[in-house]
C-alpha cells in the first residue's frame, strides 16, 4: 500500500506512521509527504527517513481549486493508495475529496461528531466534557463529518487547559493513527452506506471506561 501524508506542522503523527512502516511488519510505505507550509517540521522528518517530499504552498495560488488540483497531480504521480491527513490545516475542495473517495482519511483531536472545527480541546473543556480524545475518519465534503473509523478516549481532568488536554490526546493519536493505517494495509476497513465496518474485528464488550470530573 502506497501512502501519501499531508502535513502543515510538526508532523508527530507522520512520525508515528513512519515508525510503523519502518517496523516492516506491514505491507505499507510512505511514498510522498506533501506540505502547504515550506517550513513544516514534518518535511524534515520525511527527509530524515529518505521519504520524498513536496511543498505546494497555498499562498502561491489564487484560490483552493488550482491548489487542490496541484496536490491531486502530485499524489497521483506518486500512485498513492491511501492519503493520510496528519495535521493538515487547509480545507479541501469537493474536487479533491471526490477524487480520493474511500482512500482519504484524517485525524481530528476530539471525539467526533462532538467538537468539529477548530480549537476543539478548548471546546471540550468549555462544554465540561469528562472525556475527549481523537478520531480517525474518512474525509467527505463536510467539516469533520466523514464516517468514523477509530477513536481513542482520554479523560478531561480538572485544571486542564487546552494545551494539557491537547498533549494527552496527541499521545493517543500516535497509537491510533498507526492502528488505522494497519487496518487499511490489511484491507479490513469497509465503507458501507456511510458507515465503517472493520473486517474480523475482535469485539470486547467488557471494555468500558468510566470517569468523573
Ligand atoms: C494533531 O493533534 C491533529 O489531530 C490535529 O493537529 C495536530 C497535528 O499534530 N489536526 C487537526 O486539528 C485537524 N483539524 P502533528 O503535526 O504533530 O501530527
Amino acid at each position: 500500500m502506497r501512502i501519501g501524508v499531508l502535513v502543515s506542522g510538526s508532523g508527530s503523527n507522520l512520525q508515528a506512521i513512519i515508525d510503523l512502516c519502518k517496523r516492516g511488519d506491514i505491507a505499507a510505505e510512505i511514498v510522498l509527504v506533501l506540505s502547504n507550509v515550506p517550513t513544516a517540521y514534518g518535511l524534515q522528518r520525511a527527509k530524515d527517513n529518505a521519504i520524498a517530499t513536496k511543498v505546494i504552498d497555498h499562498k502561491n495560488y489564487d484560490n483552493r481549486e488550482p491548489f487542490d488540483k496541484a496536490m491531486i497531480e502530485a499524489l497521483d504521480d506518486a500512485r498513492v493508495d491511501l492519503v493520510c491527513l496528519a495535521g493538515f490545516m487547509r480545507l479541501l475542495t469537493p474536487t479533491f475529496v471526490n477524487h480520493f473517495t474511500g482512500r482519504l482519511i484524517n485525524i481530528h483531536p476530539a471525539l467526533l461528531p462532538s467538537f468539529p472545527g477548530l480549537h476543539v480541546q478548548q471546546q471540550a473543556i468549555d462544554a465540561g466534557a469528562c472525556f475527549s480524545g481523537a478520531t480517525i475518519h474518512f474525509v467527505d465534503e463536510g467539516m469533520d463529518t466523514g464516517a468514523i473509523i477509530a477513536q481513542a478516549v482520554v479523560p478531561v481532568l480538572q485544571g486542564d487547559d487546552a494545551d494539557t488536554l491537547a498533549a494527552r490526546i496527541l499521545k493517543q493519536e500516535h497509537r491510533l493513527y498507526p492502528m488505522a493505517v494497519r487496518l487499511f494495509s490489511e484491507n479490513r476497513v469497509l465503507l458501507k452506506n456511510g458507515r465503517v465496518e472493520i473486517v474480523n474485528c475482535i469485539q470486547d464488550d467488557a471494555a468500558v471506561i468510566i470517569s468523573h470530573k
Side-chain angles (χ1 to χ4, degrees):
M1 184 175 70
R2 298 170 66 83
I3 305 171
V5 184
L6 271 56
V7 298
S8 298
S10 151
S12 68
N13 277 292
L14 163 68
Q15 188 68 53
I17 303 170
I18 291 174
D19 294 345
L20 169 78
C21 293
K22 270 168 76 171
R23 283 206 287 275
D25 61 347
I26 74 163
E29 64 168 326
I30 301 173
V31 292
L32 181 65
V33 171
L34 212 151
S35 183
N36 63 313
V37 179
T39 54
Y41 185 61
L43 291 166
Q44 189 58 46
R45 294 181 192 269
K47 285 174 193 155
D48 290 346
N49 288 276
I51 297 168
T53 61
K54 193 169 173 79
V55 175
I56 300 179
D57 190 340
H58 62 276
K59 291 189 187 132
N60 297 334
Y61 295 82
D62 289 338
N63 58 61
R64 291 183 200 283
E65 205 63 46
F67 169 69
D68 277 14
K69 284 200 171 127
M71 290 203 300
I72 290 173
E73 203 176 301
L75 291 161
D76 280 354
D77 283 351
R79 291 179 291 113
V80 300
D81 302 303
L82 180 68
V83 178
C84 296
L85 307 182
F88 185 70
M89 302 312 253
R90 302 291 301 169
L91 284 177
L92 296 164
T93 57
T95 307
F96 186 96
V97 170
N98 292 328
H99 187 84
F100 293 108
T101 297
R103 51 195 182 112
L104 173 61
I105 63 175
N106 180 45
I107 190 156
H108 180 80
L111 293 176
L112 292 172
S114 292
F115 313 130
L118 294 174
H119 312 298
V120 298
Q121 296 89 355
Q122 192 60 52
Q123 284 190 51
I125 291 167
D126 291 347
C130 291
F131 294 104
S132 190
T135 302
I136 305 272
H137 63 95
F138 280 109
V139 178
D140 65 11
E141 288 187 26
M143 160 88 84
D144 303 320
T145 52
I148 292 168
I149 299 163
Q151 294 186 306
V153 180
V154 306
V156 181
L157 301 178
Q158 277 185 66
D160 263 344
D161 59 24
D163 290 339
T164 56
L165 179 57
R168 190 174 309 116
I169 293 171
L170 190 62
K171 213 170 154 187
Q172 299 311 316
E173 291 184 40
H174 299 157
R175 300 172 63 194
L176 189 65
Y177 222 147
M179 190 189 98
V181 169
R182 182 183 289 279
L183 289 173
F184 271 92
S185 75
E186 296 168 352
N187 290 316
R188 292 173 60 201
V189 184
L190 303 183
L191 187 52
K192 281 188 182 169
N193 302 322
R195 285 176 57 178
V196 168
E197 186 180 304
I198 304 295
V199 177
N200 294 331
C201 183
I202 297 164
Q203 304 286 359
D204 178 1
D205 59 12
V208 176
I209 305 169
I210 300 175
S211 185
H212 59 69
K213 294 291 277 185

